[in-house]
Amino acid sequence: MIIVSKHDFGFVHIAKCAGSTIRQQLREHDDLEGRLSRTHQIEGYGKLNCSHLPLQVLGEIFPEDLQALRRVTSYTICREPLDRFASGIAQRLRGTLGREPGEMKQSEIMHETENVMAHLEAHRGDLTNGYVLFAPQIGYVELDGETVVSNVVPIERMDVLFDAIEHKHNLPIQRDTVWNPTVTYRNPRLTGPLNRLKKYAREHLPVSQYSKLRDVGVRVFTKKGVPRLEEAIKGSERIKAFVQSYYAADIALHRRAVEATSDTVSGSASSAGS
């Protein structure tokens, strides 16, 4: 999450919803100085990725930041839940389990996906050990039935959010880059070195230079998506039924966001929280 109070702007980053594209570009303007863009050891919660705290947890751990968010015009990006779930599985396989999904058998992918679904069903709300990737999106928009983040933009209409950031809030933004896409590395042996290089460059280079380097790296060293994983997940009736049930509120949230932006003119943002 970032807040830029002097520009009346707040952004809540839902995992696997292209939020890095916004958060990384505006990090230099963040009132919180990146505090909610890092992992912290929180008493009673364990090790948490504070980049992706649902509003309930944000209010419990950082109540002053929740109040600061309420004082500004706030935004988030949502995503079709099955697409997001598949992207979350890809990141979990790479980051938590150290596997390259493009090199795995579909049976292996399905086995690990079943493990994730079983854990989510048994431990709803667990944000540790990478499960924040699967936290319901509605929890980043509403708190106790109240809409806190009223501007919800579907990932398909990022242009609407870019317009609002640039024209309404007068903040700099680059539109022609995606910070953290789901990809398949052309050479799996380069996964580790390239990720370390990306992390170093992101932390030490100016945003404009980093984005150019990042875009070149994506084009040269990766292919878009993870076809084997996407085929396994999106072709499974069991997984689709799980997503339909577990993420029912997210499905409705995404549908409202798409409908609200379908006829949006340039320069405005959607209000899908109503």
Side-chain angles (χ1 to χ4, degrees), residues 74-264:
S74 55
Y75 300 80
T76 193
I77 304 166
C78 71
R79 186 174 184 178
E80 193 280 318
L82 185 59
D83 280 346
R84 178 176 178 253
F85 187 74
S87 181
I89 292 293
Q91 182 167 329
R92 177 169 177 80
L93 291 174
R94 286 192 178 113
T96 304
L97 303 181
R99 304 289 303 277
E100 177 53 48
E103 300 298 312
M104 295 173 66
K105 297 178 181 178
Q106 283 199 354
S107 59
E108 295 177 303
I109 293 171
M110 292 299 292
H111 176 72
E112 297 300 340
T113 303
E114 286 283 353
N115 288 341
V116 168
M117 293 190 298
H119 183 90
L120 294 176
E121 288 173 330
H123 305 283
R124 191 177 185 94
D126 184 7
L127 304 178
T128 61
N129 300 315
Y131 287 106
V132 70
L133 299 173
F134 307 101
Q137 299 173 71
I138 195 70
Y140 295 85
V141 176
E142 298 181 359
L143 178 59
D144 297 329
E146 175 197 359
T147 297
V148 175
V149 179
S150 57
N151 296 288
V152 183
V153 178
I155 197 170
E156 301 92 332
R157 291 300 314 274
M158 290 280 285
D159 58 303
V160 172
L161 180 53
F162 289 143
D163 282 346
I165 292 171
E166 185 176 12
H167 300 299
K168 181 176 181 180
H169 300 283
N170 196 29
L171 285 165
I173 198 75
Q174 292 178 242
R175 299 168 180 255
D176 57 348
T177 184
V178 177
W179 238 257
N180 193 27
T182 299
V183 297
T184 298
Y185 287 90
R186 299 181 190 276
N187 184 344
R189 294 181 179 180
L190 294 177
T191 302
L194 287 174
N195 281 336
R196 288 191 290 273
L197 176 61
K198 180 181 72 173
K199 181 179 179 181
Y200 180 87
R202 185 176 63 224
E203 293 174 352
H204 294 88
L205 292 179
V207 169
S208 59
Q209 293 181 22
Y210 169 76
S211 65
K212 292 177 182 178
L213 179 64
R214 169 73 176 141
D215 290 349
V216 170
V218 168
R219 289 196 302 272
V220 173
F221 295 109
T222 72
K223 297 180 290 185
K224 184 178 180 180
V226 186
R228 187 174 300 178
L229 179 143
E230 292 169 359
E231 290 170 9
I233 289 178
K234 295 182 180 181
S236 167
E237 294 302 321
R238 155 81 173 120
I239 295 174
K240 287 190 286 188
F242 169 80
V243 170
Q244 285 283 332
S245 173
Y246 194 84
Y247 296 109
D250 290 359
I251 293 171
L253 178 74
H254 179 258
R255 183 179 64 250
R256 293 197 302 269
V258 170
E259 291 172 352
T261 56
S262 61
D263 297 318
T264 302

